[in-house]
Amino acid sequence: SNCTSLTSIYIPDSVTRIEGYAFYNCTSLESITIPKHVTYIGNYAFYNTRALTEINFNAIDVTDLSSGNYVFYRAGQNGEGIKVTIGAQVTKIPNYIFYPHSTTSYLPKITEFAFEEGSVCKIIGSYTFAYNTNLTNIVLPEGVEVIRYYAFANTNITNIVIPNSVYNIQNSAFRNCTSLVNVRMPSALTMIGSDAFYGCTALTEII
């Protein structure tokens, strides 16, 4: 923490826990890869990493976070934005991983979001990208089954193709996505939660 000259770090696959404040206020850190065996990420672990441009998230199954974990608080705010890549073996994106609950002005500046080829991700966690207004394009891989509540709420995405494998879209998943113009629903869908598309004022087509 507070190692303001640190620009890069290699974390080996043997690591299972990244404790709280581990890279707190490392303001020059440009990229981070979270290895596949990590199951726990503590509070403020990458707090104020304002130079961050790349997050490679390879952790197969991280314990869900709470709204007060502030893992990537203000990350990437000094540059053009962060590319987040979800590794092929990741089974879920944990709740609140990229969302500090206190105020949206401290959100990480995520501009690009992608899955590696062959992704086995089944769950998009609650508040994964909520309120991240820099995000405009989302492509979810086949195999995703559940989009949890508020996952993409208040983003500026313009369209979304929901994979055929999705059977559950939870409450407010796309709430107030005011730039969303079309949505394609899969045939496997058995549940759409309340307010899932509430406030999507630009929506013109639902298939």
Side-chain angles (χ1 to χ4, degrees):
S1 61
N2 293 311
C3 188
T4 56
S5 297
L6 183 68
T7 58
S8 65
I9 183 74
Y10 169 72
I11 304 175
D13 281 342
S14 54
V15 171
T16 60
R17 293 172 65 91
I18 299 175
E19 298 290 350
Y21 297 87
F23 300 96
Y24 178 96
N25 209 35
C26 290
T27 53
S28 297
L29 188 64
E30 297 175 356
S31 67
I32 188 71
T33 296
I34 300 176
K36 64 181 180 180
H37 295 306
V38 169
T39 58
Y40 173 84
I41 303 175
N43 295 351
Y44 302 95
F46 299 97
Y47 178 103
N48 207 32
T49 49
R50 289 175 290 172
L52 206 62
T53 61
E54 184 179 38
I55 300 171
N56 298 303
F57 190 87
N58 294 330
I60 295 171
D61 191 11
V62 173
T63 301
D64 285 326
L65 288 78
S66 70
S67 61
N69 284 126
Y70 306 106
V71 171
F72 287 101
Y73 180 103
R74 297 186 77 179
Q77 288 198 358
N78 283 1
E80 295 183 358
I82 301 170
K83 178 181 179 179
V84 174
T85 302
I86 306 299
Q89 297 180 349
V90 174
T91 57
K92 74 171 181 179
I93 302 174
N95 295 349
Y96 293 100
I97 184 68
F98 301 116
Y99 178 69
H101 190 61
S102 59
T103 171
T104 56
S105 63
Y106 295 138
L107 284 165
K109 187 179 180 181
I110 297 171
T111 55
E112 191 175 349
F113 170 54
F115 290 83
E116 285 187 349
E117 187 175 350
S119 172
V120 296
C121 186
K122 295 182 181 297
I123 298 172
I124 309 297
S126 301
Y127 284 86
T128 297
F129 296 107
Y131 294 91
N132 198 314
T133 56
N134 296 292
L135 197 61
T136 59
N137 185 44
I138 298 290
V139 178
L140 298 178
E142 194 65 42
V144 171
E145 296 177 352
V146 178
I147 301 173
R148 288 180 174 170
Y149 61 89
Y150 284 89
F152 298 103
N154 291 78
T155 57
N156 284 330
I157 58 173
T158 57
N159 62 79
I160 182 76
V161 176
I162 301 171
N164 290 327
S165 50
V166 171
Y167 66 84
N168 187 343
I169 299 174
Q170 294 186 355
N171 299 356
S172 299
F174 297 94
R175 184 185 180 99
N176 290 332
C177 289
T178 55
S179 298
L180 187 63
V181 294
N182 60 70
V183 176
R184 185 179 182 90
M185 303 285 195
S187 58
L189 196 62
T190 59
M191 177 182 174
I192 303 176
S194 62
D195 296 332
F197 295 93
Y198 176 97
C200 293
T201 52
L203 198 61
T204 59
E205 183 181 41
I206 301 171
I207 300 174

